[in-house]
Short mmCIF file of all heavy atoms in Angstrom, two decimals:
data_model
loop_
_atom_site.label_atom_id
_atom_site.label_comp_id
_atom_site.label_asym_id
_atom_site.label_seq_id
_atom_site.Cartn_x
_atom_site.Cartn_y
_atom_site.Cartn_z
N MET A 205 -13.09 -17.97 -4.19
CA MET A 205 -12.84 -16.76 -3.55
C MET A 205 -12.12 -15.78 -4.56
O MET A 205 -11.28 -16.16 -5.20
CB MET A 205 -11.85 -16.98 -2.34
CG MET A 205 -11.50 -15.75 -1.65
SD MET A 205 -10.06 -15.81 -0.61
CE MET A 205 -10.67 -16.63 0.79
N LEU A 206 -12.60 -14.56 -4.52
CA LEU A 206 -12.04 -13.53 -5.36
C LEU A 206 -10.81 -12.89 -4.66
O LEU A 206 -10.81 -12.76 -3.42
CB LEU A 206 -13.04 -12.49 -5.61
CG LEU A 206 -14.29 -12.90 -6.43
CD1 LEU A 206 -15.33 -11.75 -6.49
CD2 LEU A 206 -13.89 -13.34 -7.85
N GLU A 207 -9.87 -12.50 -5.47
CA GLU A 207 -8.67 -11.78 -4.89
C GLU A 207 -8.40 -10.55 -5.70
O GLU A 207 -8.72 -10.44 -6.81
CB GLU A 207 -7.46 -12.81 -5.02
CG GLU A 207 -7.52 -14.02 -4.15
CD GLU A 207 -6.30 -14.83 -4.32
OE1 GLU A 207 -5.48 -14.59 -5.24
OE2 GLU A 207 -6.14 -15.75 -3.53
N LEU A 208 -7.93 -9.54 -5.01
CA LEU A 208 -7.72 -8.32 -5.57
C LEU A 208 -6.26 -7.91 -5.31
O LEU A 208 -5.91 -7.86 -4.06
CB LEU A 208 -8.59 -7.21 -5.02
CG LEU A 208 -8.39 -5.75 -5.46
CD1 LEU A 208 -8.60 -5.64 -7.00
CD2 LEU A 208 -9.44 -4.80 -4.75
N LEU A 209 -5.47 -7.63 -6.27
CA LEU A 209 -4.09 -7.17 -6.10
C LEU A 209 -3.93 -5.82 -6.65
O LEU A 209 -4.30 -5.56 -7.81
CB LEU A 209 -3.07 -8.09 -6.84
CG LEU A 209 -1.62 -7.63 -6.97
CD1 LEU A 209 -0.99 -7.61 -5.60
CD2 LEU A 209 -0.90 -8.49 -7.83
N ILE A 210 -3.46 -4.85 -5.85
CA ILE A 210 -3.29 -3.45 -6.30
C ILE A 210 -1.76 -3.25 -6.25
O ILE A 210 -1.09 -3.29 -5.17
CB ILE A 210 -3.99 -2.47 -5.34
CG1 ILE A 210 -5.49 -2.75 -5.28
CG2 ILE A 210 -3.74 -1.05 -5.80
CD1 ILE A 210 -6.21 -2.01 -4.28
N ALA A 211 -1.14 -3.00 -7.44
CA ALA A 211 0.30 -2.81 -7.53
C ALA A 211 0.56 -1.23 -7.70
O ALA A 211 -0.07 -0.57 -8.50
CB ALA A 211 0.80 -3.50 -8.72
N ILE A 212 1.45 -0.78 -6.86
CA ILE A 212 1.77 0.67 -6.89
C ILE A 212 3.31 0.84 -7.05
O ILE A 212 4.10 0.57 -6.22
CB ILE A 212 1.47 1.26 -5.52
CG1 ILE A 212 -0.02 1.01 -5.19
CG2 ILE A 212 1.71 2.77 -5.49
CD1 ILE A 212 -0.42 1.50 -3.76
N PRO A 213 3.71 1.19 -8.30
CA PRO A 213 5.10 1.57 -8.48
C PRO A 213 5.32 3.05 -7.94
O PRO A 213 4.50 3.84 -8.09
CB PRO A 213 5.28 1.50 -10.05
CG PRO A 213 3.93 1.75 -10.53
CD PRO A 213 2.88 1.24 -9.56
N THR A 214 6.46 3.27 -7.32
CA THR A 214 6.71 4.49 -6.75
C THR A 214 8.18 4.85 -6.82
O THR A 214 9.03 3.96 -6.89
CB THR A 214 6.23 4.68 -5.28
OG1 THR A 214 6.31 5.96 -4.85
CG2 THR A 214 6.93 3.71 -4.39
N PHE A 215 8.50 6.12 -6.77
CA PHE A 215 9.85 6.67 -6.81
C PHE A 215 9.95 8.02 -6.04
O PHE A 215 9.46 8.96 -6.53
CB PHE A 215 10.35 6.81 -8.23
CG PHE A 215 11.79 7.29 -8.30
CD1 PHE A 215 12.83 6.43 -7.98
CD2 PHE A 215 12.11 8.52 -8.70
CE1 PHE A 215 14.18 6.84 -8.06
CE2 PHE A 215 13.36 9.01 -8.71
CZ PHE A 215 14.44 8.20 -8.48
N LYS A 216 10.41 7.92 -4.91
CA LYS A 216 10.69 9.12 -4.00
C LYS A 216 9.43 10.04 -3.85
O LYS A 216 9.44 11.27 -4.01
CB LYS A 216 11.86 9.94 -4.61
CG LYS A 216 13.10 9.22 -4.59
CD LYS A 216 14.30 10.09 -5.03
CE LYS A 216 15.61 9.33 -4.87
NZ LYS A 216 16.77 10.22 -5.10
N ARG A 217 8.31 9.39 -3.43
CA ARG A 217 7.05 10.09 -3.23
C ARG A 217 6.41 9.52 -1.97
O ARG A 217 5.27 9.13 -1.98
CB ARG A 217 6.15 10.01 -4.42
CG ARG A 217 6.76 10.65 -5.68
CD ARG A 217 5.72 10.45 -6.83
NE ARG A 217 6.34 10.63 -8.08
CZ ARG A 217 6.49 11.88 -8.67
NH1 ARG A 217 5.91 12.91 -8.10
NH2 ARG A 217 7.02 11.98 -9.82
N PRO A 218 7.05 9.53 -0.89
CA PRO A 218 6.48 8.86 0.33
C PRO A 218 5.22 9.54 0.79
O PRO A 218 4.34 8.77 1.19
CB PRO A 218 7.59 9.10 1.43
CG PRO A 218 8.52 10.15 0.96
CD PRO A 218 8.40 10.12 -0.59
N GLU A 219 4.99 10.81 0.79
CA GLU A 219 3.80 11.38 1.25
C GLU A 219 2.60 11.11 0.23
O GLU A 219 1.52 10.71 0.76
CB GLU A 219 3.90 12.94 1.37
CG GLU A 219 4.69 13.30 2.62
CD GLU A 219 4.09 12.73 3.90
OE1 GLU A 219 2.86 12.85 4.16
OE2 GLU A 219 4.90 12.17 4.73
N LEU A 220 2.85 11.13 -1.05
CA LEU A 220 1.83 10.73 -1.98
C LEU A 220 1.46 9.26 -1.86
O LEU A 220 0.33 8.85 -1.98
CB LEU A 220 2.21 11.11 -3.38
CG LEU A 220 2.34 12.56 -3.71
CD1 LEU A 220 2.89 12.73 -5.11
CD2 LEU A 220 0.91 13.21 -3.63
N LEU A 221 2.49 8.32 -1.65
CA LEU A 221 2.28 7.00 -1.41
C LEU A 221 1.38 6.81 -0.17
O LEU A 221 0.43 5.99 -0.23
CB LEU A 221 3.55 6.20 -1.28
CG LEU A 221 3.50 4.81 -0.94
CD1 LEU A 221 2.89 4.05 -2.08
CD2 LEU A 221 4.85 4.19 -0.58
N LYS A 222 1.64 7.46 0.87
CA LYS A 222 0.86 7.32 2.16
C LYS A 222 -0.58 7.66 1.84
O LYS A 222 -1.52 7.03 2.27
CB LYS A 222 1.50 8.22 3.20
CG LYS A 222 0.68 8.16 4.49
CD LYS A 222 1.36 9.02 5.55
CE LYS A 222 0.63 9.05 6.84
NZ LYS A 222 1.25 9.87 7.84
N GLU A 223 -0.80 8.87 1.24
CA GLU A 223 -2.14 9.35 0.87
C GLU A 223 -2.83 8.28 -0.04
O GLU A 223 -4.05 7.99 0.20
CB GLU A 223 -2.05 10.60 0.16
CG GLU A 223 -1.66 11.79 1.03
CD GLU A 223 -1.60 13.10 0.20
OE1 GLU A 223 -2.25 13.21 -0.82
OE2 GLU A 223 -0.80 13.93 0.64
N LEU A 224 -2.21 7.70 -0.94
CA LEU A 224 -2.79 6.75 -1.88
C LEU A 224 -3.25 5.48 -1.06
O LEU A 224 -4.35 4.95 -1.20
CB LEU A 224 -1.82 6.39 -2.93
CG LEU A 224 -2.33 5.20 -3.90
CD1 LEU A 224 -3.57 5.58 -4.59
CD2 LEU A 224 -1.17 4.95 -4.97
N ILE A 225 -2.33 4.96 -0.32
CA ILE A 225 -2.59 3.75 0.49
C ILE A 225 -3.76 4.00 1.45
O ILE A 225 -4.72 3.12 1.61
CB ILE A 225 -1.40 3.18 1.18
CG1 ILE A 225 -0.43 2.66 0.15
CG2 ILE A 225 -1.76 2.07 2.16
CD1 ILE A 225 0.96 2.28 0.65
N ILE A 226 -3.72 5.04 2.14
CA ILE A 226 -4.85 5.36 3.03
C ILE A 226 -6.18 5.48 2.32
O ILE A 226 -7.26 5.01 2.74
CB ILE A 226 -4.63 6.66 3.81
CG1 ILE A 226 -3.42 6.45 4.86
CG2 ILE A 226 -5.78 7.28 4.57
CD1 ILE A 226 -2.88 7.63 5.56
N SER A 227 -6.15 6.11 1.10
CA SER A 227 -7.30 6.24 0.22
C SER A 227 -7.85 4.83 -0.14
O SER A 227 -9.03 4.61 -0.13
CB SER A 227 -6.94 7.04 -0.96
OG SER A 227 -8.04 7.12 -1.86
N ILE A 228 -6.95 3.94 -0.50
CA ILE A 228 -7.35 2.62 -0.82
C ILE A 228 -7.98 1.91 0.34
O ILE A 228 -8.99 1.21 0.22
CB ILE A 228 -6.15 1.81 -1.32
CG1 ILE A 228 -5.65 2.32 -2.65
CG2 ILE A 228 -6.48 0.31 -1.43
CD1 ILE A 228 -4.31 1.79 -3.13
N LEU A 229 -7.34 2.07 1.57
CA LEU A 229 -7.88 1.41 2.68
C LEU A 229 -9.26 1.90 3.09
O LEU A 229 -10.06 1.17 3.75
CB LEU A 229 -6.88 1.55 3.86
CG LEU A 229 -5.53 0.80 3.68
CD1 LEU A 229 -4.62 1.16 4.86
CD2 LEU A 229 -5.74 -0.70 3.59
N ASN A 230 -9.45 3.16 2.90
CA ASN A 230 -10.73 3.79 3.22
C ASN A 230 -11.85 3.71 2.07
O ASN A 230 -12.92 4.15 2.34
CB ASN A 230 -10.52 5.33 3.53
CG ASN A 230 -9.78 5.46 4.84
OD1 ASN A 230 -9.82 4.68 5.76
ND2 ASN A 230 -8.97 6.60 4.92
N SER A 231 -11.48 3.16 1.04
CA SER A 231 -12.43 3.10 -0.17
C SER A 231 -13.45 1.97 0.13
O SER A 231 -13.28 1.05 0.93
CB SER A 231 -11.70 2.84 -1.44
OG SER A 231 -11.12 1.55 -1.48
N LYS A 232 -14.53 2.07 -0.58
CA LYS A 232 -15.63 1.10 -0.44
C LYS A 232 -15.33 0.01 -1.56
O LYS A 232 -15.63 0.20 -2.73
CB LYS A 232 -16.92 1.68 -0.80
CG LYS A 232 -17.35 2.62 0.38
CD LYS A 232 -18.70 3.25 0.08
CE LYS A 232 -19.03 4.18 1.27
NZ LYS A 232 -20.30 4.83 1.07
N ILE A 233 -14.78 -1.09 -1.09
CA ILE A 233 -14.40 -2.25 -2.01
C ILE A 233 -15.43 -3.39 -1.79
O ILE A 233 -15.79 -3.59 -0.64
CB ILE A 233 -13.00 -2.68 -1.74
CG1 ILE A 233 -11.98 -1.55 -2.07
CG2 ILE A 233 -12.64 -3.92 -2.64
CD1 ILE A 233 -10.57 -1.88 -1.76
N ASP A 234 -15.92 -3.89 -2.90
CA ASP A 234 -16.91 -4.95 -2.81
C ASP A 234 -16.52 -6.02 -1.66
O ASP A 234 -15.39 -6.38 -1.53
CB ASP A 234 -16.91 -5.67 -4.12
CG ASP A 234 -18.09 -6.66 -4.29
OD1 ASP A 234 -18.09 -7.62 -3.39
OD2 ASP A 234 -18.82 -6.59 -5.19
N ASP A 235 -17.58 -6.39 -0.86
CA ASP A 235 -17.32 -7.29 0.26
C ASP A 235 -16.69 -8.71 -0.14
O ASP A 235 -16.07 -9.26 0.64
CB ASP A 235 -18.63 -7.53 0.98
CG ASP A 235 -19.16 -6.35 1.74
OD1 ASP A 235 -18.22 -5.42 2.06
OD2 ASP A 235 -20.27 -6.25 2.11
N SER A 236 -16.85 -9.06 -1.43
CA SER A 236 -16.34 -10.25 -1.79
C SER A 236 -14.75 -10.27 -1.85
O SER A 236 -14.12 -11.26 -1.84
CB SER A 236 -16.86 -10.80 -3.14
OG SER A 236 -16.55 -9.77 -4.14
N PHE A 237 -14.24 -9.04 -1.92
CA PHE A 237 -12.73 -8.88 -1.78
C PHE A 237 -12.23 -8.62 -0.46
O PHE A 237 -10.96 -8.54 -0.21
CB PHE A 237 -12.30 -7.79 -2.71
CG PHE A 237 -12.48 -7.99 -4.20
CD1 PHE A 237 -13.48 -7.37 -4.90
CD2 PHE A 237 -11.76 -8.95 -4.82
CE1 PHE A 237 -13.66 -7.61 -6.26
CE2 PHE A 237 -11.92 -9.16 -6.18
CZ PHE A 237 -12.85 -8.49 -6.93
N SER A 238 -13.05 -8.36 0.52
CA SER A 238 -12.64 -7.74 1.82
C SER A 238 -11.59 -8.56 2.53
O SER A 238 -10.86 -8.04 3.27
CB SER A 238 -13.85 -7.58 2.74
OG SER A 238 -14.47 -8.87 3.06
N HIS A 239 -11.44 -9.90 2.35
CA HIS A 239 -10.46 -10.68 2.99
C HIS A 239 -9.36 -11.13 2.08
O HIS A 239 -8.44 -11.85 2.54
CB HIS A 239 -11.09 -11.95 3.62
CG HIS A 239 -12.10 -11.59 4.71
ND1 HIS A 239 -11.78 -11.00 5.88
CD2 HIS A 239 -13.44 -11.68 4.63
CE1 HIS A 239 -12.90 -10.74 6.57
NE2 HIS A 239 -13.87 -11.17 5.83
N SER A 240 -9.22 -10.53 0.92
CA SER A 240 -8.25 -11.00 0.03
C SER A 240 -7.68 -9.88 -0.83
O SER A 240 -7.54 -9.92 -2.07
CB SER A 240 -8.68 -12.11 -0.91
OG SER A 240 -9.83 -11.67 -1.65
N ILE A 241 -7.34 -8.74 -0.26
CA ILE A 241 -6.88 -7.58 -0.86
C ILE A 241 -5.29 -7.56 -0.56
O ILE A 241 -4.93 -7.53 0.57
CB ILE A 241 -7.50 -6.34 -0.43
CG1 ILE A 241 -8.98 -6.32 -0.78
CG2 ILE A 241 -6.84 -5.09 -1.04
CD1 ILE A 241 -9.70 -5.26 -0.13
N ILE A 242 -4.53 -7.42 -1.58
CA ILE A 242 -3.08 -7.30 -1.46
C ILE A 242 -2.66 -5.96 -2.04
O ILE A 242 -3.00 -5.70 -3.23
CB ILE A 242 -2.33 -8.50 -2.10
CG1 ILE A 242 -2.74 -9.74 -1.45
CG2 ILE A 242 -0.85 -8.29 -2.01
CD1 ILE A 242 -2.31 -11.04 -2.26
N ILE A 243 -1.93 -5.20 -1.32
CA ILE A 243 -1.32 -3.99 -1.89
C ILE A 243 0.15 -4.17 -1.99
O ILE A 243 0.88 -4.46 -1.06
CB ILE A 243 -1.61 -2.73 -1.01
CG1 ILE A 243 -3.17 -2.50 -0.82
CG2 ILE A 243 -0.93 -1.52 -1.58
CD1 ILE A 243 -3.52 -1.42 0.18
N LEU A 244 0.66 -4.17 -3.24
CA LEU A 244 2.06 -4.43 -3.56
C LEU A 244 2.72 -3.09 -3.96
O LEU A 244 2.25 -2.44 -4.93
CB LEU A 244 2.14 -5.47 -4.69
CG LEU A 244 3.51 -5.73 -5.26
CD1 LEU A 244 4.37 -6.40 -4.21
CD2 LEU A 244 3.43 -6.59 -6.47
N VAL A 245 3.75 -2.64 -3.18
CA VAL A 245 4.38 -1.50 -3.48
C VAL A 245 5.74 -1.84 -4.05
O VAL A 245 6.59 -2.56 -3.43
CB VAL A 245 4.54 -0.66 -2.13
CG1 VAL A 245 5.35 0.60 -2.56
CG2 VAL A 245 3.23 -0.29 -1.66
N ILE A 246 6.00 -1.37 -5.25
CA ILE A 246 7.41 -1.45 -5.92
C ILE A 246 8.10 -0.16 -5.81
O ILE A 246 7.70 0.75 -6.46
CB ILE A 246 7.08 -1.88 -7.44
CG1 ILE A 246 6.27 -3.17 -7.58
CG2 ILE A 246 8.41 -2.03 -8.11
CD1 ILE A 246 4.85 -2.96 -7.78
N ASP A 247 9.11 -0.16 -4.96
CA ASP A 247 9.85 1.02 -4.71
C ASP A 247 11.06 0.99 -5.71
O ASP A 247 11.97 0.21 -5.61
CB ASP A 247 10.28 1.15 -3.19
CG ASP A 247 10.95 2.38 -2.93
OD1 ASP A 247 11.12 3.26 -3.80
OD2 ASP A 247 11.35 2.53 -1.72
N ASN A 248 10.99 1.99 -6.67
CA ASN A 248 12.08 2.02 -7.65
C ASN A 248 13.27 2.93 -7.18
O ASN A 248 14.11 3.27 -8.01
CB ASN A 248 11.53 2.58 -8.96
CG ASN A 248 10.64 1.60 -9.64
OD1 ASN A 248 11.04 0.41 -9.81
ND2 ASN A 248 9.47 1.99 -10.03
N ASP A 249 13.33 3.21 -5.94
CA ASP A 249 14.40 4.08 -5.37
C ASP A 249 15.43 3.18 -4.68
O ASP A 249 15.02 2.41 -3.76
CB ASP A 249 13.83 5.05 -4.37
CG ASP A 249 14.82 6.05 -3.84
OD1 ASP A 249 16.02 5.98 -4.25
OD2 ASP A 249 14.50 6.78 -2.91
N LYS A 250 16.61 3.22 -5.02
CA LYS A 250 17.71 2.42 -4.49
C LYS A 250 17.88 2.81 -2.97
O LYS A 250 18.33 1.98 -2.16
CB LYS A 250 19.04 2.54 -5.19
CG LYS A 250 19.67 3.93 -5.12
CD LYS A 250 21.02 3.94 -5.85
CE LYS A 250 21.62 5.28 -5.81
NZ LYS A 250 22.29 5.63 -4.66
N ASP A 251 17.45 3.97 -2.56
CA ASP A 251 17.53 4.30 -1.15
C ASP A 251 16.31 3.90 -0.32
O ASP A 251 16.23 4.23 0.86
CB ASP A 251 17.69 5.86 -1.06
CG ASP A 251 19.04 6.33 -1.58
OD1 ASP A 251 20.03 5.61 -1.51
OD2 ASP A 251 19.06 7.43 -2.14
N ARG A 252 15.39 3.25 -0.98
CA ARG A 252 14.19 2.64 -0.32
C ARG A 252 13.38 3.67 0.49
O ARG A 252 13.00 3.47 1.57
CB ARG A 252 14.65 1.52 0.57
CG ARG A 252 15.37 0.44 -0.09
CD ARG A 252 16.10 -0.51 0.85
NE ARG A 252 15.02 -1.38 1.47
CZ ARG A 252 15.27 -2.56 1.90
NH1 ARG A 252 16.46 -3.11 1.64
NH2 ARG A 252 14.26 -3.29 2.43
N THR A 253 13.00 4.76 -0.22
CA THR A 253 12.35 5.83 0.48
C THR A 253 10.94 5.41 0.85
O THR A 253 10.25 6.01 1.74
CB THR A 253 12.27 7.16 -0.42
OG1 THR A 253 11.74 6.79 -1.72
CG2 THR A 253 13.61 7.74 -0.60
N ALA A 254 10.33 4.45 0.28
CA ALA A 254 8.98 4.03 0.52
C ALA A 254 8.86 3.15 1.80
O ALA A 254 7.82 3.05 2.37
CB ALA A 254 8.33 3.26 -0.66
N GLU A 255 10.01 2.57 2.14
CA GLU A 255 10.00 1.63 3.23
C GLU A 255 9.51 2.13 4.55
O GLU A 255 8.68 1.55 5.30
CB GLU A 255 11.44 1.05 3.41
CG GLU A 255 11.56 -0.15 4.40
CD GLU A 255 12.89 -0.73 4.44
OE1 GLU A 255 13.89 -0.07 4.06
OE2 GLU A 255 12.98 -1.86 4.81
N SER A 256 9.98 3.29 4.99
CA SER A 256 9.48 3.86 6.26
C SER A 256 8.01 4.13 6.21
O SER A 256 7.26 4.02 7.20
CB SER A 256 10.30 5.09 6.65
OG SER A 256 10.18 6.11 5.71
N THR A 257 7.50 4.69 5.08
CA THR A 257 6.11 4.91 4.98
C THR A 257 5.29 3.70 5.10
O THR A 257 4.27 3.63 5.84
CB THR A 257 5.80 5.51 3.53
OG1 THR A 257 6.54 6.79 3.45
CG2 THR A 257 4.35 5.82 3.42
N ILE A 258 5.76 2.55 4.43
CA ILE A 258 5.02 1.35 4.52
C ILE A 258 5.02 0.76 5.94
O ILE A 258 3.93 0.37 6.51
CB ILE A 258 5.63 0.23 3.48
CG1 ILE A 258 5.50 0.73 2.10
CG2 ILE A 258 4.94 -1.10 3.68
CD1 ILE A 258 4.12 1.03 1.68
N LYS A 259 6.11 0.77 6.57
CA LYS A 259 6.27 0.40 7.94
C LYS A 259 5.35 1.04 8.88
O LYS A 259 4.77 0.52 9.81
CB LYS A 259 7.75 0.33 8.44
CG LYS A 259 8.59 -0.75 7.80
CD LYS A 259 9.97 -0.78 8.34
CE LYS A 259 10.79 -1.88 7.73
NZ LYS A 259 12.21 -1.90 8.31
N SER A 260 5.32 2.36 8.75
CA SER A 260 4.50 3.22 9.53
C SER A 260 3.07 2.88 9.38
O SER A 260 2.27 2.80 10.37
CB SER A 260 4.79 4.71 9.19
OG SER A 260 3.89 5.48 9.90
N LEU A 261 2.62 2.69 8.17
CA LEU A 261 1.26 2.31 7.91
C LEU A 261 0.87 0.94 8.35
O LEU A 261 -0.22 0.76 8.93
CB LEU A 261 0.92 2.43 6.43
CG LEU A 261 0.82 3.83 5.84
CD1 LEU A 261 0.82 3.81 4.21
CD2 LEU A 261 -0.33 4.67 6.35
N GLN A 262 1.78 0.01 8.34
CA GLN A 262 1.60 -1.31 8.81
C GLN A 262 1.41 -1.27 10.31
O GLN A 262 0.60 -1.91 10.90
CB GLN A 262 2.71 -2.20 8.47
CG GLN A 262 2.66 -2.67 7.00
CD GLN A 262 3.90 -3.48 6.67
OE1 GLN A 262 5.04 -3.30 7.26
NE2 GLN A 262 3.81 -4.37 5.72
N GLU A 263 2.20 -0.58 11.01
CA GLU A 263 2.22 -0.39 12.52
C GLU A 263 0.89 0.23 12.87
O GLU A 263 0.31 -0.23 13.96
CB GLU A 263 3.41 0.32 13.07
CG GLU A 263 4.69 -0.44 12.92
CD GLU A 263 5.88 0.38 13.23
OE1 GLU A 263 5.77 1.59 13.49
OE2 GLU A 263 7.00 -0.08 13.09
N SER A 264 0.42 1.27 12.25
CA SER A 264 -0.76 1.94 12.68
C SER A 264 -2.03 1.12 12.28
O SER A 264 -3.09 1.36 13.00
CB SER A 264 -0.86 3.36 12.06
OG SER A 264 -0.99 3.25 10.59
N SER A 265 -2.00 0.24 11.33
CA SER A 265 -3.18 -0.47 11.02
C SER A 265 -3.13 -2.01 11.35
O SER A 265 -4.11 -2.70 11.16
CB SER A 265 -3.46 -0.37 9.47
OG SER A 265 -2.40 -1.09 8.73
N ASN A 266 -2.08 -2.39 12.01
CA ASN A 266 -1.85 -3.89 12.36
C ASN A 266 -2.09 -4.78 11.20
O ASN A 266 -2.71 -5.80 11.30
CB ASN A 266 -2.83 -4.21 13.51
CG ASN A 266 -2.44 -3.49 14.80
OD1 ASN A 266 -1.28 -3.29 15.03
ND2 ASN A 266 -3.41 -3.11 15.54
N THR A 267 -1.54 -4.47 10.07
CA THR A 267 -1.60 -5.36 8.89
C THR A 267 -0.19 -5.60 8.37
O THR A 267 0.76 -5.06 8.79
CB THR A 267 -2.41 -4.75 7.74
OG1 THR A 267 -1.73 -3.55 7.32
CG2 THR A 267 -3.82 -4.43 8.16
N ARG A 268 -0.12 -6.54 7.42
CA ARG A 268 1.18 -6.87 6.83
C ARG A 268 1.28 -6.46 5.43
O ARG A 268 0.40 -6.49 4.61
CB ARG A 268 1.44 -8.32 6.82
CG ARG A 268 1.60 -8.89 8.17
CD ARG A 268 2.42 -10.12 8.05
NE ARG A 268 1.64 -11.24 8.43
CZ ARG A 268 1.91 -12.48 8.03
NH1 ARG A 268 2.95 -12.70 7.19
NH2 ARG A 268 1.31 -13.53 8.40
#
């Protein structure tokens, strides 16, 4: 089985992060990866500004 890991480092850019993740989710990715895609967000902000964006996207898409 193939696996795809997409790592996204971010710092205080919640709207751009949201746009990027939505773009990834809407992209045409080879079917062999369709069940093994991991999006890893590395938030370099001590105030965790990406956290609410990630939680909102998870709730709206029913993913983890």
Side-chain angles (χ1 to χ4, degrees):
M205 176 198 287
L206 297 174
E207 294 180 348
L208 176 62
L209 171 67
I210 300 170
I212 305 170
T214 188
F215 180 73
K216 294 187 179 187
R217 297 179 196 271
E219 285 303 312
L220 290 174
L221 176 63
K222 180 179 179 179
E223 289 177 26
L224 175 59
I225 292 173
I226 290 171
S227 175
I228 291 168
L229 295 173
N230 291 331
S231 67
K232 294 181 181 178
I233 298 175
D234 188 305
D235 288 341
S236 60
F237 291 110
S238 64
H239 297 291
S240 59
I241 299 171
I242 299 168
I243 299 175
L244 174 65
V245 177
I246 301 96
D247 189 358
N248 289 311
D249 181 7
K250 67 179 175 82
D251 295 327
R252 302 168 71 150
T253 54
E255 186 173 23
S256 62
T257 300
I258 299 301
K259 286 183 178 181
S260 172
L261 288 169
Q262 285 175 328
E263 290 170 2
S264 67
S265 67
N266 291 325
T267 61
R268 292 203 246 160

